[in-house]
Structures are given as C-alpha cells and as structure tokens.
Amino acid sequence: MLLLALDTATPAVTVALHDGEAVIASSSQVDARRHGELLLPAVDRVLAEAGVKLDAVTGIVVGIGPGPYTGLRVGLMTADTFGLALGVPVHGLCTLDALAYAADIEKGPFVVATDARRKEVYWATYADSCTRLTEPAVDRPADIAEKVAGLPAVGAGALLYPDTFPVVHEPEHVSAAALASLAAERLAAGGELPAPRPLYLRRPDAQVPKNYKVVTPK
C-alpha cells in the first residue's frame, strides 16, 4: 500500500504519503488563496522526500470537506485526475474526521469546527477520535451554543468564536498525515471509505447574475 493523501478543504494545503504502516513524507502550508498554486508542488515535494515516483502510488485519499467551493474542488479534481491517470482507486474522507483523529483530547465527547466564513462554522461532534456522533453541518456559532456547551473543541473555526468554544485543543488545521493514517487504518480493517464527492453544505459564494444587461444593438 502506498497512499497519496491530500486536502484543500480549509486554508491548509496539505499532502502526505502513507505506506500502510506509517506516514513516510508530508507537507502542509496554510494559505487560503493559493490552493491551486501550492498543491502540485507539494505533491512533488512529498514524493521527492519519500524517494518514490508518482506511478508507485496504489491509492488516493482526498479530504471531501465540508469546505468552501473554490478550495475544496482543487483537491477533489486533482485527486480524480491522479486516479484516472494512474488507474488507482480514489477514496474520500471527511476533513472533520481527520481533525478529530489528530486531536490531542484523551477522552470525548468533543466538537470539531472549521471556518466556514460568513460568520459560520462547519462542525460535528465526536465520541472519540474515530467515532463521529453527528453529521457535518454549517451554522452560526451562537445558534449551536447550547448543543456544544461544555465540550472541548478542535479546529481553527473554534478559535474564532471563544464565546461558543471557550476550550480549544490542537490541531488548528487539518493535516494530510492524519487523513492518510485514518484512511489506512480503516482500509486495513476492511472498512469502506466515502466516495470522493464534495461536502459543500451550502451554495458557493460566487453566483451567476440573474439579469444580464443587453449590450447588443437592436
């Protein structure tokens, strides 16, 4: 097994290689505006660090969000392209699950929250690092305050709203290392991973104008 994992659902552009036993190379950069620019060089860097060629990869794992449309589609399209070019399976994995897997919380329950912009967070609650209790959702922090009251939190979204999430643990951003490790663990146990389809949870920020001004001559 040689899994190439990548995630662009958050400001972190993150890539890792996992050989079925451990992560053998990884790279993470936080830049919300340069996903498309940073992802492929990160893949090249990780492959070079591991000393392998892209054609040695036996499977792709991609974070499916939830996340903003623009960033999320960069990772998903790249994963699909690699899968088609190499003839290997492409697996999806919830980005929030990878954050929960890497959380430095010994005992649950806890909540994972990432920044959804528009003064909202993407969030879900977990019984432990591998067990999600609720489906991913997008809400204003004040609207879920009662649901998450008393729970420790993980993620950059939680850091933005201390009134709702007063106790925040590491990590702040998702890592492909955690994504790959969780995927490898589930695959080794015979589990199935989600299809590589995006969890947008809401419409994209950019919208096609409804009314066009006529500029052609009559």
Side-chain angles (χ1 to χ4, degrees):
M1 178 187 293
L2 186 62
L3 293 177
L4 174 64
L6 50 96
D7 194 303
T8 58
T10 74
V13 179
T14 178
V15 179
L17 274 174
H18 196 291
D19 66 0
E21 297 292 333
V23 173
I24 58 174
S26 63
S27 172
S28 292
Q29 295 173 271
V30 177
D31 192 325
R33 298 181 181 276
R34 299 173 64 208
H35 293 90
E37 180 181 344
L38 296 175
L39 182 57
L40 290 180
V43 172
D44 288 340
R45 189 162 54 248
V46 166
L47 291 170
E49 180 182 337
V52 300
K53 300 293 186 180
L54 182 60
D55 59 9
V57 169
T58 61
I60 311 293
V61 182
V62 60
I64 59 174
Y69 178 81
T70 302
L72 185 52
R73 67 177 179 173
V74 170
L76 287 163
M77 291 299 295
T78 301
D80 281 343
T81 301
F82 282 155
L84 287 171
L86 298 172
V88 300
V90 180
H91 308 285
L93 199 60
C94 177
T95 298
L96 301 180
D97 289 358
L99 272 162
Y101 186 78
D104 66 349
I105 300 176
E106 294 182 2
K107 186 178 180 181
F110 61 92
V111 59
V112 174
T114 59
D115 183 16
R117 305 172 187 171
R118 302 185 193 174
K119 300 182 179 179
E120 295 178 329
V121 293
Y122 298 115
W123 68 284
T125 56
Y126 292 78
D128 54 50
S129 62
C130 296
T131 309
R132 179 158 29 93
L133 295 173
T134 60
E135 290 299 312
V138 58
D139 290 287
R140 287 181 176 270
D143 293 340
I144 61 171
E146 290 187 7
K147 296 179 181 179
V148 302
L151 298 181
V154 174
L159 288 169
L160 294 173
Y161 304 99
D163 289 344
T164 301
F165 308 103
V167 180
V168 183
H169 292 250
E170 293 289 340
E172 179 178 353
H173 296 289
V174 68
S175 74
L179 192 80
S181 296
L182 178 57
E185 184 177 304
R186 290 183 176 175
L187 290 171
E192 293 187 2
L193 298 180
R197 299 294 176 263
L199 288 172
Y200 290 130
L201 301 188
R202 69 184 184 200
R203 297 179 65 83
D205 292 332
Q207 299 290 332
V208 176
K210 294 181 179 179
N211 298 310
Y212 290 94
K213 182 178 179 181
V214 177
V215 295
T216 55
K218 295 183 179 180

